[in-house]
Amino acid sequence: MASLPPQIRRRFLSTTTTNVSRKWAVKKVTKSNFSESLEEFKNHLSSSDFVAVSLQKTGSYRAPWHRPQPFDTVDTSYFKAKYAAERFQLLQFAAWPFTLRASKLTPHPYNFVLFPRDELKMGMPTYSFSVQTSHLTSMVEEGFDFNACIYNGISYLSRAQESAAKVRIGNPAAISYVTNTSSTHTIADTVFVERIKSRVKRWKTAFKSTKKDDALLSSLRKIVMRSEMYGTRPCMDLDVCSERQVQLTLEMLKGFSDDLVPLIIPAKGGGTQAVRVVLTSSKEDKELFERELQNLEEEQNKRVRGFREVIDLISASQKPVVSHNSLNDFTVIHSEFLSPLPINVDEFVGSLRSVFPHILDISHLMKNIGPLRTMTNIHAAISYLNNHYFAPIDMEISPQENEGNIHNLCVVKMCYFFAKLCSILKISENAMVSNNALLDPALEEYKYISGPQESTNEDVRVWTKNMRKVSCEDLVFLWGFRSGMTAGMLKSLLHKSHAVFSEEFDVRLVDKSCAIVVFWEPSLSQTFLDAVSSEEICGSLREIISEGLRASNYETYKRVCRLGLWEADLAESMDKALEDSDCLMEATYSRDIYWSSDFTINFDDL
């Protein structure tokens, strides 16, 4: 390919992302082939430079104003992403480890099909989630296999759910070895230790003597001594009342005998129920038993974690994660695989960075090339780069056994687009992570999680394709106007109503019920709000207000998002946010979803 003329080479590369889906298949991973695919993925991840991720969910928003908007701040963007992440279900997770060497891009494509199946019968993860029919229709058109998803999708638990599950299960396979205590023993400690030491000693002696007794006497002796069997080995439980007694028991057992193995028995409500002592027959038998316990615990952990094994592998690798919409993707990842989302964006970013310290958002890279700042479509952005820059990328994808769906093409484009941006922006190919830092300083600049705007200040844009910014303080939300009114009609009506509208201003409809007024001159917004609330209001403005027009500042919109007032119409949400403080205190956020039982699907029957 390198010998082709530049014009032909460029034309070939401009269609690379289209041809690649026809020439190479992407591996589809379900529950049936998850174990072997996990090992392959682990090997590809260890040899890669980056890993690209992309998600398929059952929906993204309920109403038009729930979408991320140019006028959203970091806070309001996070609240919207949090709302969507907690309601819509993740069904497919594309994870593509890839290497980038000079102009050669080599991805290893994996598509993991997921479904929140309660395999432990503990109510985790929840079956309740929202669905957008239009979104599902689009997934069907792309070739998504819902049968494979429901019947053979990989289940999972988040880290928080796994911890709760271990407590509920109370399985002694989840062992915990404790080192010697360093504090001085009290008289009560000494009495407790001597009592359990004497009991364990009598039990060991009694068990050895049972080999000489007949079956009936041996059974009676085991009952009296509260002796049981752990598999083929004898055991007994030592009740404890505190973590201090757990420490003392383990310390005593460690110095008392070399043939005893202690296990921690978790209590159902948390803490420790008992210490189980297992008697082994020899040093070799003890080592064998400990290996058996470790293998059993690891198998149980893998079964509980499910797909989260992939998330943990990506996190442990410390490889830079490439995403096209990091805020929406990683609120889902945090909610599904880590723990419930924090209440504010600062806590979210802090929590996320402890797990994924290097997240590269392609949307942020695009803003360094002027014409791409207003583009949201990767295909259009690739076409622009192919027409204006010579940045050849040679893509080579390893063939896989299972074919995925059209969603794969999105990740192909993302990897290809990222490679071209790195070439154009002169980002070094040697961007591997060392000591928790990216080796290429240029990439450190693009580690970013944000909403639609470029910074954390209160300056926002109002239109997607207009880069002009305005302070949030200069925005006013209007609602209660006549149905069917356009932005132009509303602007014309306002122009005649008050003196503030003699200066430059614009109007944009957020949805059919609410609009934003942009005052390009500072302080005019507050003048208008004062006039609306004044008892001395007059002229045409008084007439408009009498017809039901209401106005409020940007803080009310923030309050709507913070309180989770996600009504279908923004006007209704703004009305609720302006209610008195008592009502605001009662506007608690609920995650419960209610529906008619006639439309409930029982997934246990599938």
Side-chain angles (χ1 to χ4, degrees), residues 450-492:
S450 75
Q453 86 293 341
E454 296 180 9
S455 63
T456 58
N457 59 33
E458 297 295 285
D459 289 338
V460 296
R461 292 186 291 125
V462 182
W463 289 272
T464 301
K465 296 184 177 181
N466 188 332
M467 300 306 296
R468 188 175 181 183
K469 287 189 174 184
V470 64
S471 171
C472 291
E473 296 178 354
D474 297 322
L475 299 179
V476 171
F477 286 81
L478 290 182
W479 66 98
F481 45 81
R482 292 191 301 272
S483 177
M485 186 170 288
T486 65
M489 294 166 60
L490 186 57
K491 183 175 182 179
S492 177

Side-chain angles (χ1 to χ4, degrees), residues 12 14 51 78 97 118 124 196-197 224 335 340 511 573 584 600:
F12 172 83
S14 67
V51 56
Y78 172 69
D118 185 11
M124 295 186 299
I196 62 170
K197 184 176 182 180
V224 173
S335 176
D511 65 4
S573 298
L584 287 177
T600 302

Side-chain angles (χ1 to χ4, degrees), residues 393-410:
I393 300 297
D394 184 11
M395 183 181 291
E396 177 182 329
I397 299 183
S398 303
Q400 298 286 4
E401 58 188 54
N402 295 333
E403 187 176 359
N405 53 48
I406 296 178
H407 177 62
N408 306 324
L409 187 57
C410 298

Side-chain angles (χ1 to χ4, degrees), residues 506-520:
D506 282 304
V507 177
R508 176 200 156 169
L509 287 179
V510 180
D511 65 4
K512 63 181 181 180
S513 70
C514 189
I516 285 183
V517 179
V518 188
F519 291 97
W520 297 109

Side-chain angles (χ1 to χ4, degrees), residues 34 38 298 301-302 305-313:
F34 178 62
L38 188 63
E298 184 59 30
N301 289 341
K302 285 185 177 180
R305 288 192 293 263
F307 172 76
R308 210 195 75 235
E309 285 279 321
V310 175
I311 301 298
D312 291 345
L313 285 174

Side-chain angles (χ1 to χ4, degrees), residues 176-363:
S176 176
Y177 296 97
V178 184
T179 57
N180 292 343
T181 57
S182 57
S183 59
T184 305
H185 287 190
T186 64
I187 295 177
D189 292 341
T190 303
V191 172
F192 173 78
V193 170
E194 290 301 321
R195 179 169 59 83
I196 62 170
K197 184 176 182 180
S198 175
R199 184 183 168 194
V200 173
K201 185 176 181 179
R202 290 198 309 271
W203 168 70
K204 283 185 61 179
T205 303
F207 179 80
K208 291 180 179 179
S209 65
T210 58
K211 297 178 181 179
K212 303 176 183 179
D213 298 330
D214 57 41
L216 178 59
L217 185 59
S218 175
S219 298
L220 291 174
R221 190 186 298 273
K222 289 179 180 179
I223 293 174
V224 173
M225 298 302 297
R226 296 174 61 187
S227 180
E228 300 176 0
M229 298 298 290
Y230 190 88
T232 59
R233 301 175 178 89
C235 70
M236 70 178 299
D237 289 351
L238 302 174
D239 295 330
V240 290
C241 299
S242 66
E243 291 303 315
R244 173 66 176 174
Q245 290 187 354
V246 174
Q247 297 278 346
L248 292 170
T249 301
L250 295 175
E251 179 184 301
M252 182 278 296
L253 292 172
K254 187 174 182 180
F256 173 69
S257 177
D258 291 335
D259 54 2
L260 298 177
V261 177
L263 306 180
I264 300 297
I265 310 299
K268 296 294 184 180
T272 302
Q273 174 182 323
V275 176
R276 179 165 295 173
V277 184
V278 181
L279 179 62
T280 57
S281 59
S282 63
K283 180 179 179 181
E284 292 74 16
D285 184 46
K286 180 180 180 181
E287 293 175 351
L288 175 62
F289 180 52
E290 290 175 341
R291 287 197 298 271
E292 290 175 356
L293 289 174
Q294 291 173 358
N295 293 337
L296 181 62
E297 182 181 26
E298 184 59 30
E299 289 177 7
Q300 180 191 21
N301 289 341
K302 285 185 177 180
R303 185 169 67 91
V304 169
R305 288 192 293 263
F307 172 76
R308 210 195 75 235
E309 285 279 321
V310 175
I311 301 298
D312 291 345
L313 285 174
I314 296 174
S315 174
S317 73
Q318 299 287 288
K319 298 296 173 69
V321 182
V322 178
S323 171
H324 182 227
N325 192 339
S326 58
L327 182 61
N328 285 348
D329 284 352
F330 281 93
T331 46
V332 174
I333 290 172
H334 194 291
S335 176
E336 297 287 333
F337 306 117
L338 303 181
S339 62
L341 287 165
I343 59 174
N344 61 63
V345 68
D346 292 333
E347 292 182 14
F348 164 69
V349 172
S351 174
L352 188 64
R353 283 178 177 169
S354 67
V355 182
F356 301 103
H358 312 293
I359 299 175
L360 305 175
D361 194 327
I362 288 182
S363 299

Side-chain angles (χ1 to χ4, degrees), residues 353-505:
R353 283 178 177 169
S354 67
V355 182
F356 301 103
H358 312 293
I359 299 175
L360 305 175
D361 194 327
I362 288 182
S363 299
H364 189 45
L365 270 72
M366 291 169 62
K367 293 173 183 176
N368 290 272
I369 300 177
L372 298 186
R373 291 190 175 191
T374 59
M375 291 187 183
T376 57
N377 184 283
I378 289 184
H379 181 74
I382 290 175
S383 297
Y384 176 85
L385 294 184
N386 285 332
N387 291 330
H388 294 82
Y389 295 91
F390 180 70
I393 300 297
D394 184 11
M395 183 181 291
E396 177 182 329
I397 299 183
S398 303
Q400 298 286 4
E401 58 188 54
N402 295 333
E403 187 176 359
N405 53 48
I406 296 178
H407 177 62
N408 306 324
L409 187 57
C410 298
V411 192
V412 174
K413 290 180 179 179
M414 187 167 67
C415 292
Y416 179 73
F417 186 47
F418 175 77
K420 290 188 77 70
L421 287 173
C422 286
S423 176
I424 294 168
L425 297 173
K426 308 300 181 184
I427 296 175
S428 170
E429 63 192 52
N430 300 315
M432 301 294 289
V433 174
S434 176
N435 296 325
N436 204 34
L438 294 171
L439 293 183
D440 190 335
L443 274 182
E444 285 285 351
E445 179 185 347
Y446 304 117
K447 286 169 56 177
Y448 193 70
I449 292 211
S450 75
Q453 86 293 341
E454 296 180 9
S455 63
T456 58
N457 59 33
E458 297 295 285
D459 289 338
V460 296
R461 292 186 291 125
V462 182
W463 289 272
T464 301
K465 296 184 177 181
N466 188 332
M467 300 306 296
R468 188 175 181 183
K469 287 189 174 184
V470 64
S471 171
C472 291
E473 296 178 354
D474 297 322
L475 299 179
V476 171
F477 286 81
L478 290 182
W479 66 98
F481 45 81
R482 292 191 301 272
S483 177
M485 186 170 288
T486 65
M489 294 166 60
L490 186 57
K491 183 175 182 179
S492 177
L493 186 65
L494 292 173
H495 187 72
K496 308 171 184 177
S497 66
H498 194 274
V500 294
F501 295 111
S502 61
E503 302 293 338
E504 183 184 8
F505 76 100

